[in-house]
Amino acid sequence: PSQHNPTTISTNELLQTEKAYVARLNLLDKVFYAKLIEEARKDTFPMDVVKNIFSNISSIHTFHSQFLLPDLEKRMGEWTATPRIGDILQKLTPFLKMYAEYVKNFDHAMDLLKQWTDRSPPFKAIILEIQRQEACGSLSLQHHMLEPVQRVPRYEMLLKDYLKKLPQDHIDQRDAEKSLEIIAMAATHSNTAIRKTENLKKLLEIYEMLGEEEDIVNPSNELIKEGHILKLAARNTSAMDRYLFLFNNMLLYCVPKFSLVGQKFTVRTRIGIEGMKVMETYNEDYPHTFQVSGKERTLELQASSEQDKESWIKAFQETIHISLQKNETFKSASKDISELGKRAPRWIRDNEVTMCMKCKEPFNAITRRRHHCRACGYVVCWKCSEYKATLEYDGNKMSKVCKDCFCILTGHIDSEEREGKKKGILEIEAGQFSGNSIMCGFLQYCEKNKPWQKVWCVIPQKEALVLYLYRAPQDVKAQSTIPLLGYQVEDSARPTDPPASFRLSQSKSVHSFAAESEDLKQRWLKVIRMAVTGEVPKSPEENHSTEITQEPSSNEHLHVVCIVY
């Protein structure tokens, strides 16, 4: 086909980028993953760690190398007779769910990768050895792992470009538009992940600029601003070239280093944001100056212009302000702990929980009965309430308390606390989420052919694409979660289902729900329909209440909706 045809140029770009992408997938799957699995079989490090890092990369690689790329190559070979790609890209759409799984696992994969690179020398050695190979192009494993996250939005961009150049009434118009519609929907959630991964990618670049010596590659670190600046010497007002990296939690004050390949810096000082102050200064010989002072060091700096100075001061002030707000929240939480035992707590009602709020074991009538901690008011089992401590509000009498309150009130540190035991993914209190949720309330729930049961459902603000299911509103552990991304929403009534029901389906997985009323069902659907596309849902507009006005009793069938604006 003619290389000057605009649509051919677009399809050639699609083909060339697909070839490069498959080569990157091969590197991840057949080199990094294969080598690490081979070593893990010798029990050098856990095999599960390797599998959790690479997620479903083998499935993604198989699909692209054995199906999509060969189809594209064949089509480009017969372009004159069949000038279309929309039908081929439609084959991609059922496999987009693989990307949802990979993207969802990405943060966890990065954490595991960092953890085991630090922990296991053989693990680190294998990665470094592969990274030195020519196929790696001097890029780190983390860089290569970003590729699948970025690929779906790339398809969207290439398809948009192709459609712009496609003549009206072209035979491929309808198929290409349909492919774009589905791919764009999938790209929405990838774009959310890309915002995170772009930050991570930038952190990796800075890490390499700093000679891989500074431990900054952490998802909690966010780059706010960077750039050249002049530093005024304290003794002789001469100005020296320096470079600043301002993060949400620290400032790296750097000296530029001579390098034949890219920019390189040496960190001279790391200054924490906590306690930092910034102010304008005035120097007759040097205009546009300002001062940054922290616990570690004070710097007098000169910007390139008045506008540059104002930009830096604004960035510092906003970062300091956000840091102060977070510290106030932490102090507020600490204050709650300091009040423990000094005032009577609000007792959680027995019927608000179905499991011990400490060890998460389900209650039953015989072996696990409900008890209350006299310090925090939580409902706990007998095993978790066999501790005693003096409570100031009760005349310093020895009273039954839970293990956590016992540790706080007596200063005793439990062995699990000492080890810093982490919570599981389901171990998040329903009450903690319900107060900060996009939506929450009771729904009837049925999975497959199991009996219908009443569950407390929460879509939290922090995890707006996940539906948490609890047995009761104050349970400390969810019975299950449903990552909504990629699910199909079915609203049509089925004869066997209760009124106001709807279903979420993906592959062979089907979850059925029923609301108390049609109006309540529509509110849930409005939120869920956004979440399944990867778009962060907003609260339904019908209700502006943020309070639960009634607490469920054991004989009530209450449906509550929490709306947060």
Side-chain angles (χ1 to χ4, degrees):
S2 170
Q3 294 301 311
H4 300 291
N5 184 325
T7 55
T8 309
I9 293 168
S10 294
T11 49
N12 272 334
E13 187 181 356
L14 173 62
L15 179 61
Q16 294 312 313
T17 59
E18 187 67 16
K19 283 180 179 176
Y21 179 52
V22 168
R24 192 71 57 93
L25 290 174
N26 186 72
L27 181 68
L28 287 170
D29 180 26
K30 300 298 183 186
V31 184
F32 279 108
Y33 180 54
K35 290 274 187 188
L36 287 166
I37 281 288
E38 185 184 333
E39 188 64 30
R41 287 197 179 101
K42 302 172 188 173
D43 292 330
T44 314
F45 38 79
M47 194 172 290
D48 279 351
V49 168
V50 182
K51 288 180 178 177
N52 286 331
I53 288 171
F54 290 92
S55 185
N56 58 343
I57 196 69
S58 296
S59 303
I60 294 172
H61 178 219
T62 300
F63 168 71
H64 285 271
S65 62
Q66 295 185 21
F67 296 97
L68 190 60
L69 180 58
D71 283 356
L72 284 171
E73 287 176 325
K74 185 183 176 190
R75 182 57 54 85
M76 288 308 293
E78 54 191 29
W79 186 257
T80 308
T82 319
R84 54 192 299 176
I85 57 166
D87 58 329
I88 292 175
L89 289 176
Q90 275 191 42
K91 292 179 186 177
L92 169 66
T93 56
F95 295 92
L96 291 174
K97 287 167 191 167
M98 295 191 302
Y99 281 92
E101 188 181 329
Y102 184 89
V103 169
K104 184 181 160 221
N105 184 64
F106 189 80
D107 280 355
H108 179 54
M110 291 295 106
D111 286 343
L112 276 177
L113 185 56
K114 184 181 184 306
Q115 184 184 333
W116 281 89
T117 304
D118 293 343
R119 184 187 293 184
S120 168
F123 185 92
K124 184 178 182 178
I126 290 169
I127 290 170
L128 289 175
E129 184 189 342
I130 298 169
Q131 284 178 174
R132 284 192 285 267
Q133 294 177 12
E134 192 178 336
C136 261
S138 303
L139 292 173
S140 65
L141 171 57
Q142 289 96 325
H143 269 95
H144 293 295
M145 286 180 71
L146 287 169
E147 282 287 311
V149 176
Q150 297 168 324
R151 188 58 185 166
V152 177
R154 186 75 188 270
Y155 286 130
E156 181 188 16
M157 185 188 75
L158 290 166
L159 253 178
K160 280 180 177 175
D161 185 54
Y162 172 71
L163 275 163
K164 275 182 194 172
K165 294 166 181 173
L166 209 59
Q168 285 188 336
D169 302 325
H170 192 278
I171 56 166
D172 201 20
Q173 188 84 30
R174 190 174 172 184
D175 281 343
E177 283 177 350
K178 191 174 178 183
S179 297
L180 177 61
E181 184 184 337
I182 299 165
I183 288 170
M185 197 181 290
T188 311
H189 78 261
S190 273
N191 283 329
T192 307
I194 282 170
R195 280 194 288 275
K196 284 186 185 177
T197 56
E198 284 299 328
N199 177 57
L200 190 59
K201 194 173 182 180
K202 187 64 187 172
L203 291 177
L204 286 164
E205 286 171 5
I206 296 168
Y207 175 67
E208 287 160 9
M209 285 181 199
L210 303 178
E212 301 185 0
E213 290 177 10
E214 292 294 319
D215 183 19
I216 60 164
V217 183
N218 187 313
S220 64
N221 291 342
E222 183 185 347
L223 180 68
I224 307 297
K225 186 174 171 66
E226 65 171 302
H228 281 279
I229 201 93
L230 292 175
K231 158 75 170 66
L232 299 187
R235 291 178 181 159
N236 55 28
T237 65
S238 62
M240 298 163 286
D241 185 29
R242 296 289 183 263
Y243 201 91
L244 301 182
F245 292 102
L246 175 62
F247 295 91
N248 56 327
N249 53 2
M250 63 181 161
L251 171 69
L252 296 184
Y253 168 68
C254 305
V255 178
K257 240 181 5 180
F258 174 74
S259 170
L260 293 171
V261 186
Q263 290 182 300
K264 299 285 180 185
F265 303 97
T266 301
V267 177
R268 186 62 62 83
T269 310
R270 183 189 286 227
I271 305 173
I273 295 297
E274 190 179 345
M276 183 181 280
K277 292 179 182 176
V278 61
M279 58 181 285
E280 284 189 78
T281 54
Y282 300 94
N283 189 309
E284 288 183 7
D285 300 320
Y286 295 91
H288 324 308
T289 57
F290 63 100
Q291 180 180 289
V292 175
S293 61
K295 292 175 184 175
E296 297 81 0
R297 189 169 173 181
T298 295
L299 305 168
E300 189 169 4
L301 305 167
Q302 182 186 14
S304 59
S305 65
E306 192 65 22
Q307 186 181 359
D308 187 35
K309 179 186 84 173
E310 287 172 6
S311 173
W312 272 111
I313 290 174
K314 185 183 178 187
F316 274 107
Q317 286 174 337
E318 287 177 355
T319 306
I320 292 165
H321 177 67
I322 291 167
S323 177
L324 281 170
Q325 281 184 322
K326 285 182 180 175
N327 284 341
E328 286 303 314
T329 305
F330 176 75
K331 284 175 188 172
S332 173
S334 301
K335 186 183 174 186
D336 290 343
I337 290 172
S338 69
E339 292 288 308
L340 197 69
K342 293 179 182 177
R343 60 175 68 211
R346 179 233 166 193
W347 279 30
I348 303 293
R349 293 179 183 175
D350 285 359
N351 65 346
E352 289 185 83
V353 296
T354 63
M355 64 182 72
C356 172
M357 297 180 77
K358 292 300 172 185
C359 71
K360 290 93 181 174
E361 285 293 324
F363 288 123
N364 59 51
I366 303 166
T367 58
R368 292 219 177 245
R369 297 178 62 193
R370 291 166 167 81
H371 299 264
H372 276 88
C373 169
R374 267 59 176 176
C376 65
Y378 273 25
V379 185
V380 293
C381 66
W382 66 270
K383 196 173 180 182
C384 293
S385 65
E386 59 184 9
Y387 301 85
K388 286 192 174 182
T390 56
L391 301 177
E392 196 177 312
Y393 80 85
D394 199 19
N396 287 316
K397 288 181 190 173
M398 290 293 283
S399 303
K400 271 193 171 187
V401 295
C402 68
K403 182 171 67 175
D404 290 353
C405 291
F406 174 76
C407 293
I408 294 165
L409 291 166
T410 63
H412 171 80
I413 299 175
D414 184 75
S415 60
E416 284 184 359
E417 292 290 325
R418 204 177 284 118
E419 290 165 12
K421 188 180 177 186
K422 288 190 176 181
K423 286 187 175 183
I425 193 167
L426 298 175
E427 293 178 44
I428 299 168
E429 296 174 29
Q432 177 187 325
F433 267 168
S434 299
N436 297 285
S437 61
I438 290 168
M439 194 151 181
C440 66
F442 279 117
L443 289 172
Q444 291 291 330
Y445 171 64
C446 171
E447 185 184 8
K448 296 180 182 173
N449 297 318
K450 294 177 185 176
W452 286 84
Q453 58 174 315
K454 186 170 75 169
V455 293
W456 181 255
C457 300
V458 184
I459 298 179
Q461 286 181 321
K462 286 186 177 179
E463 295 186 53
L465 305 182
V466 180
L467 176 62
Y468 280 75
L469 275 58
Y470 295 85
R471 289 184 183 276
Q474 292 293 341
D475 275 356
V476 291
K477 183 179 179 181
Q479 67 177 39
S480 63
T481 62
I482 303 173
L484 295 169
L485 204 59
Y487 269 85
Q488 300 293 318
V489 182
E490 298 172 27
D491 190 9
S492 55
R494 294 191 305 192
T496 54
D497 288 347
S501 62
F502 61 93
R503 289 170 304 287
L504 300 174
S505 61
Q506 186 181 70
S507 187
K508 294 178 182 177
S509 177
V510 179
H511 305 274
S512 300
F513 295 88
E516 189 182 51
S517 66
E518 186 64 29
D519 176 56
L520 190 56
K521 168 187 160 182
Q522 293 306 325
R523 292 186 198 176
W524 275 103
L525 286 176
K526 187 170 185 180
V527 171
I528 289 169
R529 281 195 172 113
M530 291 180 75
V532 296
T533 66
E535 187 177 350
V536 176
K538 296 175 183 175
S539 303
E541 297 164 1
E542 293 86 349
N543 191 332
H544 290 250
S545 168
T546 58
E547 297 178 0
I548 300 176
T549 56
Q550 190 177 355
E551 293 177 356
S553 67
S554 58
N555 58 359
E556 285 177 326
H557 186 71
L558 176 65
H559 291 248
V560 185
V561 181
C562 302
I563 315 292
V564 180
Y565 280 90

